[in-house]
Amino acid sequence: MALLEIRDLKKYFPVPAGLLGYTQDQVKAVDGVSLDVEEGDTVGLVGESGCGKTSLGRCLVRLIEPTSGTVTFEGRELSALSGAALREMRRKMQMIFQDPYASLNPRMRIGEIIAEGLRIHRLAKGRDLKIRVLELLTRVGLRAEYFDRYPHEFSGGQRQRIGIARALAVNAKFIIADEAVSALDVSIQAQILNMLLDLQQELRLTFLFISHDLRVVEHVSDRVAVMYLGKIVEIAPAGKLHSRSQHPYTRALLSAVPFPDPARRGTRTVLQGDVPSPINPPSGCSFHPRCPFALKRCSEEEPRLVFDGSHGVACHVFGPGGKK
Protein backbone atom coordinates (compact mmCIF):
# COMPACT_ATOMS: atom_id res chain seq x y z
CA MET A 1 0.00 0.00 0.00
CA ALA A 2 1.26 3.47 -0.91
CA LEU A 3 1.82 6.03 1.83
CA LEU A 4 -0.62 8.42 0.10
CA GLU A 5 -3.44 7.37 -2.22
CA ILE A 6 -5.52 9.96 -4.09
CA ARG A 7 -8.63 8.76 -5.90
CA ASP A 8 -10.77 10.88 -8.27
CA LEU A 9 -10.10 14.05 -6.26
CA LYS A 10 -12.04 17.13 -7.31
CA LYS A 11 -12.05 20.70 -6.07
CA TYR A 12 -14.54 23.14 -7.58
CA PHE A 13 -14.66 26.76 -6.46
CA PRO A 14 -18.03 28.52 -6.79
CA VAL A 15 -18.20 31.71 -8.85
CA PRO A 16 -20.82 34.08 -7.34
CA ALA A 17 -23.04 35.89 -9.79
CA GLY A 18 -25.28 38.92 -9.29
CA LEU A 19 -25.88 41.07 -6.24
CA LEU A 20 -27.21 38.19 -4.14
CA GLY A 21 -24.13 36.07 -4.78
CA TYR A 22 -25.89 33.04 -6.22
CA THR A 23 -23.52 30.40 -7.57
CA GLN A 24 -23.82 30.29 -11.33
CA ASP A 25 -20.53 28.69 -12.38
CA GLN A 26 -17.70 26.70 -10.85
CA VAL A 27 -13.95 26.86 -11.35
CA LYS A 28 -12.81 23.26 -11.82
CA ALA A 29 -9.38 23.67 -10.22
CA VAL A 30 -8.84 19.93 -9.62
CA ASP A 31 -10.95 17.67 -11.79
CA GLY A 32 -10.63 13.96 -11.07
CA VAL A 33 -7.00 13.42 -10.03
CA SER A 34 -5.80 9.94 -8.99
CA LEU A 35 -2.23 9.48 -7.80
CA ASP A 36 -0.16 7.25 -5.49
CA VAL A 37 2.91 8.38 -3.57
CA GLU A 38 5.15 5.64 -2.20
CA GLU A 39 6.95 6.07 1.12
CA GLY A 40 10.41 7.60 0.69
CA ASP A 41 9.75 8.79 -2.88
CA THR A 42 9.61 12.27 -4.33
CA VAL A 43 6.80 12.82 -6.82
CA GLY A 44 7.10 15.96 -8.93
CA LEU A 45 3.94 17.77 -10.03
CA VAL A 46 4.37 20.13 -12.98
CA GLY A 47 2.21 22.25 -15.25
CA GLU A 48 1.45 25.80 -16.30
CA SER A 49 0.29 28.38 -13.77
CA GLY A 50 -3.40 27.89 -12.98
CA CYS A 51 -3.50 24.18 -13.79
CA GLY A 52 -4.50 23.23 -10.22
CA LYS A 53 -1.19 22.15 -8.66
CA THR A 54 -1.44 24.27 -5.52
CA SER A 55 -5.15 23.54 -5.05
CA LEU A 56 -4.35 19.83 -5.15
CA GLY A 57 -1.62 20.23 -2.53
CA ARG A 58 -3.87 22.22 -0.22
CA CYS A 59 -6.64 19.63 -0.55
CA LEU A 60 -4.26 16.89 0.57
CA VAL A 61 -3.64 18.56 3.94
CA ARG A 62 -7.24 19.85 4.12
CA LEU A 63 -6.32 23.51 4.12
CA ILE A 64 -9.21 23.56 1.68
CA GLU A 65 -11.87 20.85 1.62
CA PRO A 66 -12.18 18.73 -1.56
CA THR A 67 -15.48 18.77 -3.43
CA SER A 68 -15.35 14.99 -3.87
CA GLY A 69 -12.93 12.08 -4.05
CA THR A 70 -10.78 10.47 -1.38
CA VAL A 71 -7.32 11.02 0.10
CA THR A 72 -5.93 8.08 2.08
CA PHE A 73 -2.80 8.50 4.20
CA GLU A 74 -1.26 5.50 5.97
CA GLY A 75 -4.44 3.57 5.21
CA ARG A 76 -6.76 6.18 6.79
CA GLU A 77 -9.21 8.24 4.77
CA LEU A 78 -8.63 11.89 5.71
CA SER A 79 -12.18 13.16 5.14
CA ALA A 80 -13.41 10.79 7.87
CA LEU A 81 -11.07 12.29 10.49
CA SER A 82 -11.80 15.13 12.87
CA GLY A 83 -10.64 16.47 16.21
CA ALA A 84 -7.61 14.78 17.76
CA ALA A 85 -7.34 12.18 14.97
CA LEU A 86 -7.15 14.87 12.28
CA ARG A 87 -4.64 16.86 14.34
CA GLU A 88 -2.40 13.83 14.66
CA MET A 89 -2.58 13.11 10.93
CA ARG A 90 -1.81 16.74 10.08
CA ARG A 91 1.33 16.51 12.22
CA LYS A 92 2.58 13.87 9.79
CA MET A 93 1.68 15.95 6.70
CA GLN A 94 3.28 19.38 6.43
CA MET A 95 3.57 22.01 3.73
CA ILE A 96 6.34 24.35 2.59
CA PHE A 97 4.69 27.36 0.98
CA GLN A 98 5.68 29.17 -2.19
CA ASP A 99 6.13 32.69 -0.83
CA PRO A 100 8.74 32.80 1.95
CA TYR A 101 7.75 36.39 2.72
CA ALA A 102 4.01 35.79 3.21
CA SER A 103 4.22 32.41 4.95
CA LEU A 104 5.88 33.70 8.15
CA ASN A 105 4.07 35.81 10.74
CA PRO A 106 5.95 39.17 10.83
CA ARG A 107 4.99 39.71 14.49
CA MET A 108 6.55 36.47 15.74
CA ARG A 109 10.22 35.77 16.35
CA ILE A 110 11.80 32.92 14.42
CA GLY A 111 12.11 30.75 17.52
CA GLU A 112 8.39 31.21 18.23
CA ILE A 113 7.42 30.36 14.65
CA ILE A 114 9.33 27.07 14.65
CA ALA A 115 8.24 26.21 18.21
CA GLU A 116 4.53 26.82 17.54
CA GLY A 117 3.89 23.36 16.08
CA LEU A 118 5.85 21.70 18.89
CA ARG A 119 3.62 23.43 21.46
CA ILE A 120 0.37 22.63 19.65
CA HIS A 121 1.23 18.93 19.38
CA ARG A 122 2.83 18.86 22.84
CA LEU A 123 6.08 17.44 21.56
CA ALA A 124 8.35 19.57 23.75
CA LYS A 125 8.24 22.29 26.37
CA GLY A 126 10.49 24.46 28.49
CA ARG A 127 14.22 24.01 27.97
CA ASP A 128 13.71 20.99 25.71
CA LEU A 129 11.60 23.14 23.39
CA LYS A 130 14.36 25.70 22.88
CA ILE A 131 16.99 22.99 22.40
CA ARG A 132 14.82 21.38 19.72
CA VAL A 133 14.34 24.69 17.89
CA LEU A 134 18.08 25.44 17.97
CA GLU A 135 18.77 21.97 16.55
CA LEU A 136 16.34 22.63 13.71
CA LEU A 137 17.94 25.98 12.91
CA THR A 138 21.33 24.31 12.67
CA ARG A 139 19.94 21.48 10.55
CA VAL A 140 18.65 23.88 7.89
CA GLY A 141 21.87 25.89 7.82
CA LEU A 142 20.97 28.83 10.07
CA ARG A 143 22.77 30.16 13.14
CA ALA A 144 21.53 29.67 16.68
CA GLU A 145 21.63 33.42 17.34
CA TYR A 146 18.80 33.89 14.82
CA PHE A 147 16.38 32.49 17.42
CA ASP A 148 15.17 35.93 18.61
CA ARG A 149 15.10 37.72 15.27
CA TYR A 150 12.03 38.65 13.21
CA PRO A 151 11.28 37.50 9.63
CA HIS A 152 11.99 40.91 8.08
CA GLU A 153 15.64 40.56 9.10
CA PHE A 154 16.20 37.63 6.73
CA SER A 155 16.68 37.13 3.00
CA GLY A 156 14.27 35.08 0.88
CA GLY A 157 16.49 32.01 1.00
CA GLN A 158 16.86 32.23 4.76
CA ARG A 159 13.10 32.61 5.19
CA GLN A 160 12.51 29.50 3.12
CA ARG A 161 14.95 27.62 5.36
CA ILE A 162 12.86 28.77 8.33
CA GLY A 163 9.75 27.44 6.60
CA ILE A 164 11.49 24.10 6.09
CA ALA A 165 12.52 24.00 9.75
CA ARG A 166 8.90 24.66 10.76
CA ALA A 167 7.74 21.74 8.60
CA LEU A 168 10.37 19.43 10.10
CA ALA A 169 9.70 20.47 13.70
CA VAL A 170 6.77 18.11 14.25
CA ASN A 171 8.52 15.04 12.78
CA ALA A 172 6.48 15.01 9.57
CA LYS A 173 6.65 12.01 7.25
CA PHE A 174 5.13 13.59 4.15
CA ILE A 175 5.95 17.12 2.98
CA ILE A 176 4.30 19.09 0.18
CA ALA A 177 6.80 21.59 -1.25
CA ASP A 178 4.68 24.10 -3.17
CA GLU A 179 7.02 26.00 -5.53
CA ALA A 180 9.50 26.00 -2.66
CA VAL A 181 12.35 27.50 -4.69
CA SER A 182 10.59 29.48 -7.44
CA ALA A 183 10.98 32.83 -5.62
CA LEU A 184 14.72 32.35 -5.00
CA ASP A 185 17.87 33.14 -6.97
CA VAL A 186 19.29 30.24 -8.97
CA SER A 187 22.32 29.79 -6.70
CA ILE A 188 20.08 29.75 -3.62
CA GLN A 189 17.71 27.31 -5.36
CA ALA A 190 20.54 24.80 -5.70
CA GLN A 191 21.41 25.10 -2.00
CA ILE A 192 17.81 24.58 -0.90
CA LEU A 193 17.26 21.64 -3.26
CA ASN A 194 20.42 19.88 -2.14
CA MET A 195 19.47 20.46 1.49
CA LEU A 196 16.02 18.93 0.89
CA LEU A 197 17.59 15.87 -0.74
CA ASP A 198 19.98 15.46 2.21
CA LEU A 199 17.11 15.81 4.69
CA GLN A 200 15.09 13.24 2.76
CA GLN A 201 17.89 10.68 3.07
CA GLU A 202 18.56 11.51 6.72
CA LEU A 203 14.95 11.61 7.94
CA ARG A 204 13.34 9.21 5.40
CA LEU A 205 10.92 11.87 4.17
CA THR A 206 8.38 11.59 1.36
CA PHE A 207 7.83 14.64 -0.88
CA LEU A 208 5.24 15.95 -3.29
CA PHE A 209 7.29 18.59 -5.11
CA ILE A 210 5.11 21.12 -6.94
CA SER A 211 6.86 23.26 -9.54
CA HIS A 212 6.62 24.70 -13.02
CA ASP A 213 10.38 24.26 -13.52
CA LEU A 214 10.97 20.92 -15.27
CA ARG A 215 14.73 21.03 -14.68
CA VAL A 216 14.23 21.36 -10.93
CA VAL A 217 11.66 18.57 -10.92
CA GLU A 218 13.95 16.25 -12.91
CA HIS A 219 16.73 16.85 -10.37
CA VAL A 220 14.74 15.99 -7.26
CA SER A 221 11.96 13.61 -8.35
CA ASP A 222 11.63 9.85 -8.65
CA ARG A 223 8.38 10.19 -10.64
CA VAL A 224 6.79 13.17 -12.38
CA ALA A 225 3.10 13.87 -12.95
CA VAL A 226 2.07 16.49 -15.53
CA MET A 227 -1.14 18.45 -14.91
CA TYR A 228 -3.22 20.35 -17.44
CA LEU A 229 -6.45 22.15 -16.57
CA GLY A 230 -7.04 20.19 -13.36
CA LYS A 231 -6.20 16.73 -14.73
CA ILE A 232 -3.08 14.55 -14.84
CA VAL A 233 -2.25 13.93 -18.50
CA GLU A 234 1.00 11.99 -18.08
CA ILE A 235 2.98 10.34 -15.29
CA ALA A 236 6.26 8.45 -15.49
CA PRO A 237 9.65 7.96 -13.80
CA ALA A 238 11.58 11.24 -14.04
CA GLY A 239 14.25 10.00 -16.46
CA LYS A 240 11.74 8.27 -18.72
CA LEU A 241 9.44 11.30 -18.86
CA HIS A 242 12.29 13.51 -20.04
CA SER A 243 13.65 11.01 -22.58
CA ARG A 244 10.43 9.33 -23.81
CA SER A 245 7.53 11.68 -23.13
CA GLN A 246 4.31 10.80 -24.97
CA HIS A 247 1.68 13.48 -24.41
CA PRO A 248 1.91 16.49 -26.77
CA TYR A 249 1.55 18.87 -23.82
CA THR A 250 4.50 17.27 -22.00
CA ARG A 251 6.58 17.45 -25.17
CA ALA A 252 5.77 21.13 -25.56
CA LEU A 253 6.81 21.84 -21.95
CA LEU A 254 10.08 19.96 -22.39
CA SER A 255 10.86 21.71 -25.66
CA ALA A 256 10.73 25.05 -23.82
CA VAL A 257 13.44 24.05 -21.32
CA PRO A 258 16.69 25.90 -22.21
CA PHE A 259 19.88 23.86 -22.69
CA PRO A 260 23.28 25.35 -21.78
CA ASP A 261 24.91 23.26 -24.54
CA PRO A 262 24.28 24.77 -28.02
CA ALA A 263 24.77 21.33 -29.59
CA ARG A 264 21.70 20.02 -27.73
CA ARG A 265 19.32 22.73 -28.85
CA GLY A 266 16.22 21.23 -30.37
CA THR A 267 13.10 22.47 -32.09
CA ARG A 268 10.79 24.51 -29.90
CA THR A 269 7.13 23.42 -29.92
CA VAL A 270 5.01 26.55 -29.69
CA LEU A 271 1.44 25.88 -28.56
CA GLN A 272 -1.30 27.84 -30.29
CA GLY A 273 -3.99 29.71 -28.36
CA ASP A 274 -4.44 30.21 -24.64
CA VAL A 275 -5.24 27.82 -21.82
CA PRO A 276 -9.05 27.33 -21.80
CA SER A 277 -11.08 28.61 -18.89
CA PRO A 278 -11.42 26.12 -16.00
CA ILE A 279 -14.98 27.44 -15.58
CA ASN A 280 -15.98 26.03 -18.96
CA PRO A 281 -13.34 23.51 -20.07
CA PRO A 282 -13.53 22.01 -23.58
CA SER A 283 -15.39 18.77 -24.18
CA GLY A 284 -13.40 15.58 -24.68
CA CYS A 285 -9.68 16.06 -24.13
CA SER A 286 -9.17 19.46 -22.51
CA PHE A 287 -5.93 19.92 -24.48
CA HIS A 288 -7.40 19.30 -27.94
CA PRO A 289 -7.96 23.01 -28.91
CA ARG A 290 -4.18 23.56 -28.66
CA CYS A 291 -2.97 20.14 -29.85
CA PRO A 292 -1.46 19.87 -33.36
CA PHE A 293 -2.28 16.13 -33.48
CA ALA A 294 -5.93 16.33 -32.37
CA LEU A 295 -8.46 14.00 -33.98
CA LYS A 296 -12.22 14.30 -34.10
CA ARG A 297 -12.40 11.75 -31.28
CA CYS A 298 -10.31 14.07 -29.07
CA SER A 299 -13.08 16.70 -29.01
CA GLU A 300 -15.80 14.15 -28.25
CA GLU A 301 -14.35 11.62 -25.79
CA GLU A 302 -12.24 12.33 -22.71
CA PRO A 303 -9.13 10.12 -22.68
CA ARG A 304 -8.41 7.91 -19.66
CA LEU A 305 -5.00 7.75 -18.00
CA VAL A 306 -3.79 4.41 -19.38
CA PHE A 307 -0.60 2.78 -18.04
CA ASP A 308 2.03 0.79 -19.87
CA GLY A 309 4.11 -0.42 -16.93
CA SER A 310 5.11 2.66 -14.90
CA HIS A 311 4.26 5.14 -17.69
CA GLY A 312 0.73 6.54 -17.82
CA VAL A 313 -0.64 8.75 -20.61
CA ALA A 314 -4.10 10.26 -21.15
CA CYS A 315 -4.14 10.65 -24.93
CA HIS A 316 -6.11 9.15 -27.81
CA VAL A 317 -3.24 9.66 -30.25
CA PHE A 318 -0.09 8.79 -28.29
CA GLY A 319 0.66 6.32 -25.52
CA PRO A 320 -0.80 2.86 -24.82
CA GLY A 321 -4.23 3.71 -26.26
CA GLY A 322 -3.00 5.20 -29.54
CA LYS A 323 -0.05 5.22 -31.89
CA LYS A 324 3.49 5.59 -30.55
Side-chain angles (χ1 to χ4, degrees), residues 58-245:
R58 289 173 180 261
C59 282
L60 298 184
V61 293
R62 285 183 61 181
L63 286 178
I64 55 177
E65 292 293 335
T67 302
S68 64
T70 61
V71 178
T72 305
F73 183 77
E74 292 186 326
R76 304 180 69 183
E77 214 278 284
L78 295 186
S79 65
L81 301 179
S82 60
L86 178 59
R87 189 180 303 112
E88 174 62 21
M89 196 60 66
R90 276 180 166 164
R91 182 184 69 79
K92 300 178 182 180
M93 305 174 70
Q94 291 292 304
M95 195 163 183
I96 302 169
F97 296 94
Q98 176 177 358
D99 189 350
Y101 292 89
S103 62
L104 302 179
N105 189 333
R107 297 186 178 184
M108 295 177 67
R109 300 177 192 270
I110 298 309
E112 296 171 335
I113 290 173
I114 298 174
E116 187 175 24
L118 292 166
R119 289 196 182 97
I120 291 172
H121 293 284
R122 300 177 182 177
L123 299 177
K125 61 181 179 179
R127 185 171 179 271
D128 291 338
L129 180 66
K130 184 169 183 177
I131 291 174
R132 172 66 174 156
V133 172
L134 293 176
E135 288 176 349
L136 288 163
L137 285 172
T138 303
R139 176 164 276 172
V140 298
L142 297 175
R143 299 175 184 175
E145 56 261 33
Y146 293 166
F147 184 92
D148 289 319
R149 295 188 183 180
Y150 288 93
H152 73 270
E153 300 179 70
F154 296 91
S155 67
Q158 289 174 321
R159 292 187 190 205
Q160 200 61 289
R161 290 175 187 267
I162 295 165
I164 294 169
R166 177 175 58 185
L168 297 175
V170 292
N171 301 319
K173 295 182 64 176
F174 175 65
I175 293 179
I176 300 169
D178 181 16
E179 300 277 11
V181 297
S182 64
L184 309 179
D185 293 337
V186 174
S187 60
I188 304 301
Q189 285 185 15
Q191 295 175 20
I192 298 295
L193 289 173
N194 290 331
M195 182 184 69
L196 289 174
L197 291 174
D198 291 342
L199 289 170
Q200 182 178 33
Q201 294 296 321
E202 182 182 348
L203 303 176
R204 299 182 63 186
L205 299 172
T206 304
F207 282 101
L208 178 66
F209 197 91
I210 299 171
S211 179
H212 63 270
D213 191 331
L214 283 161
R215 282 294 171 207
V216 169
V217 169
E218 182 185 19
H219 178 64
V220 302
S221 301
D222 299 295
R223 291 190 302 140
V224 180
V226 181
M227 280 191 76
Y228 183 79
L229 214 63
K231 304 176 186 292
I232 291 180
V233 297
E234 186 165 8
I235 182 168
K240 189 173 183 179
L241 186 85
H242 283 73
S243 62
R244 297 178 57 191
S245 58

Side-chain angles (χ1 to χ4, degrees), residues 47-48 226-228 247-256 267-276 286-293:
E48 294 172 287
V226 181
M227 280 191 76
Y228 183 79
H247 200 282
Y249 177 62
T250 308
R251 295 179 182 181
L253 291 180
L254 289 170
S255 75
T267 303
R268 171 76 185 273
T269 301
V270 180
L271 296 176
Q272 301 299 316
D274 297 323
V275 179
S286 56
F287 184 64
H288 85 263
R290 307 174 72 193
C291 180
F293 308 102

Side-chain angles (χ1 to χ4, degrees), residues 7-40:
R7 294 292 178 268
D8 198 27
L9 192 69
K10 297 180 181 180
K11 178 58 186 177
Y12 297 169
F13 293 97
V15 180
L19 296 176
L20 299 179
Y22 292 118
T23 300
Q24 190 172 35
D25 294 306
Q26 292 180 316
V27 175
K28 298 180 179 180
V30 181
D31 196 13
V33 168
S34 295
L35 180 67
D36 288 346
V37 181
E38 300 291 338
E39 187 169 4

